[in-house]
Amino acid sequence: MGLYIAKRILGAVPLLLLISIIAFSLIALAPGDPLLAMRLENPRAVSPESIARLREYYHLNDPIYVRYFHWLKSVLVGDWGYSSTYKIPVMQLVKSRVPNTLLLTMSAWCLGLLAALPIGMISASKQYSTFDYVVTFIAFLGLSMPPVWFGFMSIMAFSVKLKWLPIGGVASMVTGSWWAIVADRLKHLLLPMIVLGFVQVAYWVRYVRTSLLEVLDTDYIRTARAKGLSQRTVLVKHAMRNALIPVLTIAALDIPYFFGGAVVVETIFAWPGMGRLMHQAVIGGDFNLALCCLMLLATLTVVSNLAADVLYAVADPRVCYS
């Protein structure tokens, strides 16, 4: 297993290089000039001579492949450049936003998995019952509901009408005990976490139900029932473990989706995370920041694929990587 993981990590290097070339080319060829935008924002402070010096410093007059190699050389030593929007180093900005995004996406991922597993299991064990029909209806509703619309409707219902939860942000100006501060953070987290995780709950419930129904129809489950084992033992001890193998793989592969979906959710709820930062970087033409965000998302996708393969081998003893 260790050798397999090492080979996968080495194999990910050329893949990430290829992704960096594509991302760099797309952003470099996009319309707009960040230096010209700086001059338009403050024409007195940014003279044409300053623009010319900055173009020379950032190699903007060189061909695109020369610019790419200069950018790659800087990135390899940990220098991702400066954000033209926030006027600070990109890594300093990213480090301040990553914890908020990890808190939102990982809590939504865990909530989705913890909700989908029991609901899907009960729905499969009670196939064609009222509970199964209700779960199927809600799952299709969740799959067809745009996160943007669901986010705005949740804000209208729980923040504007009922005033139970804050409209947006990550925290309020709360002073007092440690529990008061934690409760305030949880109140801000609850709504974006549910919006981000709801669609995946609907998807995973359908997947758990289908996977478990396939396992329940196999010979060894019929043998377990013929031996007089209880329904709970058959479900939990024998059927669920095999049914979880593809579900865990899908759940690991869906981790990048949560970070991608965070772009919409963080923008709606004004959550200061990487998704909102990526949206602002692309809209504002912040070249260095947009590239850093895209490369982080690409790296996360590669790591998630590796984690899915490892989880598959851990869950299924028949799978052996050599």
Side-chain angles (χ1 to χ4, degrees):
M1 178 65 79
L3 182 61
Y4 171 77
I5 294 175
K7 286 181 178 178
R8 287 291 302 271
I9 292 174
L10 288 176
V13 174
L15 177 62
L16 289 174
L17 278 176
L18 179 62
I19 293 173
S20 70
I21 293 172
I22 296 172
F24 186 92
S25 303
L26 288 176
I27 292 181
L29 295 174
D33 187 341
L35 296 182
L36 183 60
M38 287 173 59
R39 175 162 170 73
L40 291 176
E41 286 177 2
N42 195 352
R44 293 184 178 179
V46 184
S47 64
E49 291 77 17
S50 302
I51 294 291
R53 282 197 300 271
L54 286 172
R55 284 189 183 283
E56 191 66 26
Y57 179 78
Y58 286 113
H59 307 282
L60 295 180
N61 296 322
D62 294 334
I64 189 170
Y65 65 91
V66 177
R67 293 165 55 190
Y68 171 76
F69 282 113
H70 282 293
W71 172 81
L72 184 62
K73 184 180 174 182
S74 300
V75 167
L76 289 178
V77 296
D79 180 12
W80 289 81
Y82 274 74
S83 165
S84 61
T85 305
Y86 293 90
K87 318 299 182 193
I88 58 174
V90 167
M91 283 311 295
Q92 181 181 340
L93 188 59
V94 168
K95 285 179 182 176
S96 66
R97 299 296 185 91
V98 164
N100 288 333
T101 295
L102 284 177
L103 175 65
L104 174 61
T105 53
M106 288 295 101
S107 57
W109 188 83
C110 292
L111 176 71
L113 203 57
L114 290 176
L117 289 179
I119 294 174
M121 187 172 70
I122 296 172
S123 181
S125 63
K126 297 182 178 180
Q127 189 181 16
Y128 302 133
S129 65
T130 304
F131 180 84
D132 186 31
Y133 285 125
V134 171
V135 167
T136 302
F137 173 75
I138 295 175
F140 280 121
L141 192 67
L143 289 172
S144 57
M145 191 182 301
V148 175
W149 182 86
F150 185 42
F152 283 126
M153 291 301 104
S154 301
I155 291 174
M156 285 295 296
F158 297 102
S159 302
V160 178
K161 298 292 184 184
L162 299 175
K163 301 185 185 303
W164 289 351
L165 298 170
I167 293 177
V170 69
S172 304
M173 296 296 291
V174 175
T175 57
S177 65
W178 182 81
W179 283 108
I181 297 173
V182 171
D184 177 68
R185 291 294 298 266
L186 288 176
K187 284 175 66 179
H188 283 80
L189 174 66
L190 191 59
L191 213 50
M193 178 180 66
I194 291 174
V195 171
L196 183 60
F198 181 69
V199 175
Q200 284 308 108
V201 170
Y203 174 64
W204 287 343
V205 162
R206 298 294 304 162
Y207 210 88
V208 171
R209 180 183 180 277
T210 304
S211 179
L212 188 56
L213 284 176
E214 288 179 1
V215 174
L216 288 175
D217 198 34
T218 54
D219 291 338
Y220 78 93
I221 293 296
R222 280 193 286 270
T223 303
R225 284 174 173 159
K227 289 169 67 178
L229 297 178
S230 65
Q231 177 71 0
R232 182 176 180 180
T233 303
V234 171
L235 273 177
V236 176
K237 189 175 180 181
H238 297 281
M240 200 59 193
R241 181 170 181 179
N242 285 332
L244 276 180
I245 294 172
V247 175
L248 287 176
T249 307
I250 293 295
L253 291 174
D254 280 343
I255 291 177
Y257 161 80
F258 281 88
F259 280 82
V263 175
V264 176
V265 175
E266 288 181 1
T267 304
I268 293 173
F269 289 95
W271 185 270
M274 286 299 298
R276 192 179 176 207
L277 195 64
M278 187 187 303
H279 175 261
Q280 292 172 340
V282 173
I283 295 298
D286 197 334
F287 184 89
N288 292 328
L289 184 57
L291 264 178
C292 183
C293 293
L294 288 175
M295 289 310 300
L296 281 178
L297 189 59
T299 305
L300 181 67
T301 304
V302 172
V303 171
S304 299
N305 275 277
L306 176 60
D309 288 343
V310 173
L311 276 177
Y312 200 84
V314 171
D316 190 350
R318 295 170 297 180
V319 178
C320 179
Y321 297 118
S322 60

